């Protein structure tokens, strides 16, 4: 039975004085005074919310490796960093372990490399277009006011304004720079809705890297506009039978075949360590900006943060900054497809059970025999049978709440935002917006709600067009 | 009769030619927007066509550096002006007065800045295009430094929204609840519908029936945003006809309606207003250039259709003589093919849609149907201020063919991972001719006026053939 931890403010920071690369599993910890640690922002960059196995308290774990430690990296099993409670880990074939070790080492280094961070910051500013605004959606807020004229104040974090049209590029940019630094020339990636594919293709063009994108044939058809964009950007798009999960498997298979020269650019916060941590870390710029902007705009923090969940990259990106602020409510919205009782949905945290998939332990949609159930959602980017191990952990400890929204509710939310604010949300983001309908009536007047508008919906206009036409035909019968 | 606000003196006889594209019997409407071509060019020394509101004909000096842009009659040298039916004069004057008062209204400016920042996503970055710069280096490793002003990162993907947002706010201040606009490919229509949704204004978009067929998805987008899209069947059922229809609507509903013009064309005060609303592009560029390299840009390059994005970038630097300004128009199939939209290169002076400017016309003064692969440059006229800047030699204007633009489209996508709009691709294509002539280290700023997601289908079709 999962224990619920409500008090994150007393979370202690553990500093390890023993290298995590040498020996697995057990390492000694020393509890330090929090003040100097918190002041040094760089030390809090690589942190994982975790449970101390000795005394079961919740803490933030981090480590600061030296160059010599990194050089000494050998083939021994990766340590327990990469675990979020019981979730996460490195469930991979032996052949990938060295490769992942190198990645972990390089990742740790760049987090503390001020030159890399400066270059990344400039790329995010000048190329991607950060920082993205925190936009007060007045008409949307008015729409959700009750009869007394009271209601929450809704803000949209405009990740749709990024280059490429989604939050995916924050991670793609950083990882591509990391790959280049590691001397890899060939980038492999898997994409569902195509946004990660487009983002990866764009940054590869900019950094003159070769790019191969794997995409399910079903998805290629549904998001054909994105396929065209990827090809235009110079990427090779390879069709894989099935959907995103099959594309991911194929991409990893190809990666294993060419470990020296290729780099698997994970777009989602799933996979073996360090993928979930890396993706979350690179996306956490969203949350950091939100904190700063909230302070500027209303001199406080958000009260509720809402984000859609496919695998969890955009949600973690905005949640991570606020995990230790227990007065900030974190709500993730999954894809309910045709309804979670119908069997055709992607509501992993609602209906899944714990298992290992694509290298990490997490909740996933599986049948009684442990076979993966094919997910469904109109938001193609949400269609994944697994979910980030970190989100699984946040669910287990009760830090975040998770709900679902059906296809139809998402499609209505799409139209709602267009009409009220002149913004086309991605159908994925529309799931988060749809949940406002259930959430707002329960919130006291003036509650500050921040919704992560994770992508723009130009790619979905055709889908919505068809849906509305079909609906019109049905009502005409 | 048709244009009672124009009083022609004996120095320059004007003849009214009806738009020959309209074959409808009622095309002789007194309120119909007509194009006038002064038949005798030599008499244009002192423009004698004046606003009805002036007491005496005013001779405007020939172009000189300290000339007002525009002067109180809305003229840039001899270009510009207000060639409109009498019914619209009041609306235009009201608009001008409102515009001038709001320019100093602190509340309005703060609100506009807030919207530009939080809704549109400004300021847009000035991005150093490393691989593009590398591509244009001479064999000895020297070459200009190319920067892109990323207007493609704006909400809705183009610079158009800067103006749409400001005009919608202005309309609200004026108490207008109804907005009309015309659109060709749909981009300006979508931008207008977007801001109307944002501000809760009623929105009517006029679109040629032919264009509606070609751009069904944009039509759907506008409808999703809550706008009403009205098909225009007259004439060739394209942009020009949609514009005429929109103006007709405005004339009929002038009290309740504001007409959001998408470019720096049209009667005064539109060229000035639209330029001012886009001038934020140039202002940001100056600031960013100073931050990045401690100086000003040496060369500014922008594509020119109506001329709004170019004016937005240029305006800030017009008085800086050491900054070179280059506008790039659409040469379509080639300047000699007759199928192009290179107004400033091949056009002659006349009046279209309310302003005197260069325009593509045949010997009888009829509008020549322009052509360009990019819908946004497919306009037979050009903003009067551009005509003026060309005449005084302050800005240079060149043209680029469809094929060259497509090459540039591909090039930027492959080198920088940015898919530019086909309009912007024209400016990018000019770099091929420009860069070899520039000394080492020249700072070139190109206005990346829009993103090209909307154009990939077109590009593929043409690139495969």
């Amino acid at each position: 039975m999962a224990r619920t931890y409500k008090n994150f403010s007393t979370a202690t920071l553990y500093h390890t004085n023993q290298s995590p690369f040498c020996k697995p599993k057990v390492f000694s910890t020393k509890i330090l005074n929090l003040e100097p640690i918190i002041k040094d922002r760089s030390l809090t960059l690589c942190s994982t919310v975790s449970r101390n196995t000795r005394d079961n308290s919740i803490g933030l774990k981090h480590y600061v490796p030296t160059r010599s430690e990194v050089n000494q990296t050998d083939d021994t099993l990766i340590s327990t960093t990469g675990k979020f409670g019981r979730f996460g880990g490195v469930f991979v074939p032996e052949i990938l372990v060295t490769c992942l070790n190198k990645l972990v080492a390089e990742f740790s280094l760049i987090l503390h490399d001020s030159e890399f961070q400066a270059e990344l910051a400039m790329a995010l500013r000048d190329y991607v277009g950060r920082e993205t605004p925190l936009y007060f959606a007045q008409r949307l807020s008015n729409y959700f006011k009750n009869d007394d004229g009271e209601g929450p104040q809704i803000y949209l974090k405009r990740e749709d304004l990024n280059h490429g049209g989604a939050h995916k590029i924050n991670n793609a940019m950083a990882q591509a720079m990391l790959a280049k630094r590691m001397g890899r020339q060939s980038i492999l990636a898997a994409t569902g809705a195509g946004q990660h594919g487009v983002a990866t293709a764009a940054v590869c063009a900019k950094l003159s890297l070769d790019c191969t994108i794997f995409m399910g044939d079903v998805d290629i058809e549904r998001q054909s506009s994105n396929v065209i964009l990827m090809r235009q950007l110079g990427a090779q798009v390879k069709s894989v039978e099935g959907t995103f999960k099959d594309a991911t498997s194929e991409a990893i298979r190809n990666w294993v075949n060419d470990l020296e020269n290729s780099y698997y650019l994970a777009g989602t916060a799933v996979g073996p360590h360090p993928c979930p941590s890396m993706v979350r870390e690179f996306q956490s710029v969203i949350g950091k900006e939100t904190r700063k902007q909230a302070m500027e705009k209303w001199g406080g923090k958000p009260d509720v943060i809402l984000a859609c969940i496919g695998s969890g990259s955009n949600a973690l990106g905005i949640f991570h900054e606020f995990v230790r602020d227990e007065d900030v409510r974190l709500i993730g919205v999954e894809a309910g497809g045709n309804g979670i009782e119908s069997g055709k949905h992607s509501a992993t945290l609602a209906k899944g059970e714990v298992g290992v998939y694509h290298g990490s332990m997490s909740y996933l949609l599986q049948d009684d025999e442990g076979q993966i159930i094919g997910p469904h959602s109109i938001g193609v980017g949400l269609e994944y049978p697994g979910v980030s191990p970190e989100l699984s952990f946040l669910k287990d400890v009760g830090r975040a709440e998770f709900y679902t929204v059906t296809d139809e509710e998402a499609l209505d939310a799409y139209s709602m935002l267009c009409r009220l604010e002149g913004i086309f949300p991605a159908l994925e983001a529309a799931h988060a917006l749809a949940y406002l309908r259930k959430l707002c009536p329960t919130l006291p007047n003036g509650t500050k709600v921040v919704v992560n508008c994770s992508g723009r919906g130009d790619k979905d206009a055709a889908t919505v067009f068809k849906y509305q036409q079909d609906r019109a035909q049905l009502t005409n019968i | 009769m048709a244009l009672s606000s124009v009083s022609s003196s004996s120095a320059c006889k004007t003849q009214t030619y009806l738009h020959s594209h309209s074959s409808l019997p009622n095309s002789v409407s007194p309120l119909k927007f007509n194009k006038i071509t002064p038949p005798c060019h030599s008499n244009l020394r002192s423009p004698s066509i004046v606003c009805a509101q002036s007491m005496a004909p005013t001779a405007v000096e020939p172009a000189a550096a300290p000339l007002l842009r525009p002067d109180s009659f809305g003229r840039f040298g001899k270009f510009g002006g207000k060639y409109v039916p009498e019914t619209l004069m009041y609306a235009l004057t009201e608009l001008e007065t409102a515009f001038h008062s709001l320019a100093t209204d602190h509340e309005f400016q703060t609100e506009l800045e807030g919207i530009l920042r939080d809704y549109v996503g400004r300021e847009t970055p000035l991005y150093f295009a490393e691989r593009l710069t590398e591509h244009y280096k001479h064999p000895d490793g020297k070459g200009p430094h190319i920067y892109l002003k990323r207007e493609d990162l704006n909400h809705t993907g183009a610079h158009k929204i800067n103006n749409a947002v400001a005009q919608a706010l202005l309309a609200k201040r004026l108490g207008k609840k109804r907005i009309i606009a015309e659109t060709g490919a749909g981009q300006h229509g979508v931008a207008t519908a977007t801001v109307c949704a944002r501000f809760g204004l009623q929105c009517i978009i006029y679109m040629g029936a032919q264009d509606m067929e070609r751009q069904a998805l944009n039509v759907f987008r506008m409808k999703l945003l809550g706008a009403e899209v009205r098909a225009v069947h007259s004439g060739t059922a394209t942009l020009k006809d949609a514009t005429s229809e929109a103006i007709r609507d405005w004339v009929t509903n002038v009290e309740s309606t504001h007409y959001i013009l998408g470019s720096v064309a049209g009667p005064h005060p539109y060229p000035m207003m639209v330029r001012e609303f886009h001038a934020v592009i140039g202002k940001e560029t100056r600031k960013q250039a100073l931050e990045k390299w401690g100086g000003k840009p040496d060369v500014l390059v922008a594509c020119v259709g109506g001329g709004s994005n170019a004016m937005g970038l240029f305006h800030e630097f017009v008085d800086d003589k050491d900054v070179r300004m280059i506008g790039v128009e659409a040469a379509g199939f080639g300047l000699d093919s007759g199928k192009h939209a290179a107004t400033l290169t091949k056009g002659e002076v006349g009046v279209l849609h309310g302003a005197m400017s260069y325009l593509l016309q045949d010997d009888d003064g009829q509008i020549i149907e322009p052509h360009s692969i990019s819908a946004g440059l497919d306009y037979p006229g050009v903003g009067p201020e551009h005509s003026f800047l060309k005449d005084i030699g302050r800005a240079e204007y060149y043209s680029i063919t469809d094929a060259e633009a497509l090459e540039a489209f591909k090039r930027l996508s492959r080198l920088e991972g940015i898919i530019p709009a086909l309009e912007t691709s024209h400016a990018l294509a000019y770099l091929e001719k420009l860069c070899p002539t520039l000394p080492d280290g020249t700072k070139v700023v190109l206005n990346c006026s829009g993103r090209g997601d909307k154009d990939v289908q077109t590009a593929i079709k043409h690139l495969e053939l």
Side-chain angles (χ1 to χ4, degrees), chain A residues 11-14 48-52 57-61:
Chain A
T12 331
L13 216 57
Y14 292 95
T48 323
V49 179
S50 186
R51 193 178 316 186
N52 184 310
S57 61
I58 295 293
L60 284 173
K61 226 177 349 187

Side-chain angles (χ1 to χ4, degrees), chain B residues 408-421:
Chain B
F409 178 88
K410 229 172 45 180
R411 194 163 34 240
L412 193 70
S413 306
R414 295 291 160 94
L415 289 179
E416 293 287 350
I418 299 171
I419 301 179

Side-chain angles (χ1 to χ4, degrees), chain A residues 127 135 139 205 297 421, chain B residues 118-119 131 197-198 292 416:
Chain A
Y127 185 68
Y135 165 70
R139 290 195 77 205
K297 284 196 182 313
E421 295 287 349
Chain B
D118 287 346
Y119 185 65
R131 286 194 79 198
R198 165 69 182 75
K292 283 193 182 317
E416 293 287 350

Side-chain angles (χ1 to χ4, degrees), chain B residues 260-376:
Chain B
I260 293 191
L261 231 158
S263 196
V264 286
H268 181 69
Y270 279 105
M272 175 193 69
M273 250 180 25
V274 175
R275 174 198 74 196
E276 283 309 320
F277 291 144
H278 280 307
V280 60
I281 303 175
K283 290 188 187 117
E284 284 179 6
T285 304
R286 186 190 281 284
K287 178 171 129 316
Q288 291 162 327
L290 207 60
E291 276 167 11
K292 283 193 182 317
W293 65 81
K296 289 184 286 197
D298 297 311
V299 189
L300 301 174
V301 186
C303 63
V304 175
S308 59
N309 95 85
M311 264 342 287
L313 181 66
F314 291 175
H315 182 60
E316 176 72 13
F317 299 98
V318 166
D319 295 325
D320 293 78
K321 294 300 178 197
D322 49 347
V323 178
R324 198 173 149 196
M325 300 180 343
I326 297 178
V328 186
E329 292 188 297
F333 292 144
L335 289 176
D336 299 319
S337 68
K339 305 228 102 231
H340 61 79
T343 317
L344 291 164
T345 312
K346 285 289 206 170
E348 284 169 30
V349 181
V351 174
L352 176 65
H353 295 149
M356 178 167 286
S357 190
Y358 279 99
L359 57 122
L360 293 173
Q361 49 182 307
D362 62 20
D363 293 329
D364 293 322
Q366 301 304 324
I367 300 285
I368 297 175
E369 186 82 36
H371 161 79
S372 169
I373 193 170
S374 62

Side-chain angles (χ1 to χ4, degrees), chain B residues 113 140 170 196 230 305 307 318 391 403 441:
Chain B
E113 260 167 48
D140 57 7
L170 180 71
C196 288
R230 291 193 186 164
V318 166
D391 262 18

Side-chain angles (χ1 to χ4, degrees), chain A residues 166 248 258 279 416 451:
Chain A
T248 306
D258 185 13
V279 174
M416 175 183 76
V451 182

Side-chain angles (χ1 to χ4, degrees), chain B residues 136 399-401 404 429-437:
Chain B
Y136 287 118
S399 58
I400 285 290
T401 63
E404 290 169 320
Y430 190 68
L431 288 176
E432 292 282 296
K433 300 184 182 141
L434 176 68
C435 292
T437 70

